[in-house]
Amino acid sequence: YFLTWLRYTAFTVLYPSGITGEVLCVTTAFPYYMAMKCPPFWKFISLTCTLPLPNIYNISFYWTVFTYVCMALYIPGSPHMYMHMLTQRKRYLAKAKEAGKQKKL
């Protein structure tokens, strides 16, 4: 039961600290994104890994905007995933507790 409890309880500390670490790493890396050189095989992309219009593909892609959008997805996504994990914790710990009681009888 202890390992089950640990598995479904450790996320309460690890999940928020992991999200915080990811966001801090990405925000710290923004100056490096701006100075980043793309691999030589990306000849159609500019030096900062963006694909401005006009180009032969008729699309535009901006690496920094993409990164900001991905980070913004943490705002609605993190609470949703955290609540889902709490629900899973409640369900599995109740099952484990029942199984423990059944073994003792």
Side-chain angles (χ1 to χ4, degrees):
Y1 179 77
F2 175 73
L3 289 177
T4 304
W5 177 85
L6 185 63
R7 176 182 179 191
Y8 288 102
T9 305
F11 80 90
T12 56
V13 174
L14 297 176
Y15 192 69
S17 63
I19 290 173
T20 304
E22 283 182 37
V23 169
L24 288 175
C25 284
V26 171
T27 54
T28 304
F30 273 130
Y32 299 103
Y33 287 162
M34 299 308 288
M36 182 171 57
K37 303 283 188 225
C38 286
F41 55 86
W42 289 7
K43 295 182 191 288
F44 56 90
I45 297 179
S46 70
L47 294 178
T48 58
C49 287
T50 62
L51 183 61
L53 284 174
N55 58 48
I56 59 173
Y57 301 107
N58 203 24
I59 60 168
S60 62
F61 176 79
Y62 295 94
W63 180 256
T64 52
V65 173
F66 173 75
T67 309
Y68 281 125
V69 169
C70 287
M71 284 181 44
L73 290 175
Y74 276 112
I75 296 168
S78 299
H80 175 72
M81 283 301 297
Y82 194 79
M83 295 308 291
H84 171 71
M85 292 164 73
L86 282 175
T87 305
Q88 293 292 84
R89 177 183 185 268
K90 185 177 177 182
R91 182 185 331 160
Y92 283 104
L93 288 183
K95 284 181 186 178
K97 199 172 206 178
E98 279 298 316
K101 285 181 183 177
Q102 298 265 335
K103 282 185 179 180
K104 288 181 182 177
L105 295 177

